Amino acid sequence: MDPPSFLYLLLFPAQKMMKVGKANNIYNRIQSLKRVWGDVDYAHSYRIALPQSEVFKLEKMLHFLLAKYQTGIDAGDGYTELFSIEALEPAIKHIHYVIEHGVINAQLLQGIEKPQLRPGKSAAHRHAEMKKRSDTMISNVVTVTEQFSRINRLLLILLFKQHRLRYQYDIEGNTILFRVADNRTDQRDVHKIMRMFSFFIEDFRYMGGTNYCSGVFGEGTVTQYNVELISGDPDAHPLVAYLASQTERLFNKLPSRSALLMEDLPILESSRILRSVLQSEDEA
């Protein structure tokens, strides 16, 4: 028994050409051809189902009749079966002619149907991984937004209660040197503020974290926070950069010295403080 097969007329729009060939599985054949010739126009290509022996004869007849439309390409998968796009109309006419005169008993159909692929275990695994990453991304967005909300609240407290607070800041390069004079500074508060400026982002293109509070130093009643301006970081994640741009607008409204402060707070030199700490440890 002669097994069934297909003759196809595949259109490659980007190359403006057509391939006339045969295959038992047209879709599988397309997957190998598109690696060389680009995407196929599935909707406007044609197929006809015939016994293999008849497919072979019809293919050879079309190659002979369409010889003047050959592209002249001399290399590549199936290159001898490539014709200019103008060959489509005469190819269809030739096929209809042999059908109408009873040479073959078949129907020329337009369109190549894509197989319905059932998701296997690997597809289910990929779906689960994508959902997990999506959930993580949304969680990160919420966390980062909440961090900037806390930073904004802190700035508003400084802005509207400066008559009750003693603070001062200077900007050196891209770093804000923010000093607070308070006898009751709690290390837990210090760690909270440091965490505010530590951002971790994971999305479909990026995963990483950055801490923009580069150091905290204390001497006497003065605590100094060194905070890097995010607007000066070209590698900042777009979400962090956008939220920071809005927060920096609020920061720009904050006076560099609180109304309660009667004299300047000294800028603490981290290297000098570190030497002092190390010296104290050596003496102990």
Side-chain angles (χ1 to χ4, degrees):
M1 182 177 177
D2 198 357
S5 187
F6 293 92
L7 178 124
Y8 57 74
L9 308 175
L10 295 181
L11 303 184
F12 294 90
Q15 305 288 345
K16 294 183 178 180
M17 64 186 186
M18 173 182 73
K19 184 178 184 303
V20 178
K22 60 183 186 299
N24 295 336
N25 186 313
I26 301 176
Y27 188 75
N28 285 349
R29 181 63 178 125
I30 288 173
Q31 300 316 299
S32 60
L33 290 170
K34 68 192 298 185
R35 297 189 189 101
V36 181
W37 310 116
D39 289 331
V40 167
D41 184 344
Y42 289 89
H44 296 95
S45 294
Y46 289 82
R47 71 191 189 279
I48 183 169
L50 291 166
Q52 282 193 9
S53 58
E54 292 188 25
V55 167
F56 179 79
K57 292 176 183 177
L58 182 58
E59 179 195 37
K60 292 304 177 186
M61 180 193 75
L62 288 174
H63 288 172
F64 174 76
L65 294 172
L66 301 174
K68 69 177 182 178
Y69 296 101
Q70 283 189 313
T71 60
I73 295 174
D74 59 1
D77 189 2
Y79 71 94
T80 60
E81 300 173 338
L82 295 175
F83 303 88
S84 67
I85 203 73
E86 289 77 17
L88 177 62
E89 185 176 349
I92 292 173
K93 286 181 178 179
H94 288 313
I95 294 172
H96 282 315
Y97 180 85
V98 296
I99 292 174
E100 291 169 1
H101 287 78
V103 178
I104 59 174
N105 181 23
Q107 184 179 3
L108 181 64
L109 300 175
Q110 184 176 10
I112 307 296
E113 296 180 354
K114 298 181 182 180
Q116 297 296 320
L117 300 178
R118 294 181 179 179
K121 289 184 178 180
S122 59
H125 177 72
R126 288 196 299 273
H127 177 268
E129 285 296 312
M130 292 289 281
K131 184 179 184 304
K132 181 179 177 182
R133 292 186 66 182
S134 177
D135 291 344
T136 300
M137 176 190 68
I138 297 301
S139 177
N140 284 163
V141 169
V142 172
T143 299
V144 169
T145 303
E146 289 176 346
Q147 284 178 255
F148 275 100
S149 178
R150 288 193 293 272
I151 294 171
N152 290 348
R153 285 201 300 269
L154 179 60
L155 289 174
L156 288 171
I157 290 171
L158 292 171
L159 185 59
F160 292 106
K161 295 188 177 182
Q162 57 177 292
H163 61 285
R164 296 168 51 188
L165 301 169
R166 294 192 299 158
Y167 76 82
Q168 183 177 354
Y169 69 84
D170 293 271
I171 300 178
E172 293 186 354
N174 196 50
T175 304
I176 302 170
L177 308 177
F178 196 95
R179 286 100 65 202
V180 180
D182 189 351
N183 292 319
R184 298 170 297 171
T185 300
D186 191 325
Q187 284 301 311
R188 287 175 298 181
D189 294 334
V190 170
H191 292 150
K192 284 181 182 179
I193 292 174
M194 291 187 71
R195 285 198 298 272
M196 281 186 194
F197 294 95
S198 181
F199 303 100
F200 182 84
I201 293 287
E202 181 177 356
D203 57 27
F204 292 105
R205 298 182 297 108
Y206 177 97
M207 183 174 71
T210 306
N211 190 341
Y212 289 96
C213 185
S214 57
V216 180
F217 313 102
E219 189 173 89
T221 62
V222 179
T223 302
Q224 176 175 302
Y225 299 88
N226 289 7
V227 179
E228 305 300 319
L229 284 167
I230 299 174
S231 60
D233 179 11
D235 298 320
H237 188 277
L239 173 64
V240 175
Y242 169 73
L243 293 173
S245 70
Q246 303 306 305
T247 294
E248 288 180 19
R249 288 174 178 267
L250 182 58
F251 173 73
N252 290 334
K253 298 180 182 295
L254 186 68
S256 61
R257 196 169 111 171
S258 67
L260 183 63
L261 197 63
M262 303 305 295
E263 58 183 18
D264 286 342
L265 295 177
I267 294 176
L268 304 185
E269 299 293 339
S270 57
S271 58
R272 180 172 60 81
I273 294 172
L274 179 60
R275 285 197 302 271
S276 176
V277 171
L278 293 175
Q279 183 178 358
S280 299
E281 290 183 353
D282 290 341
E283 291 175 352

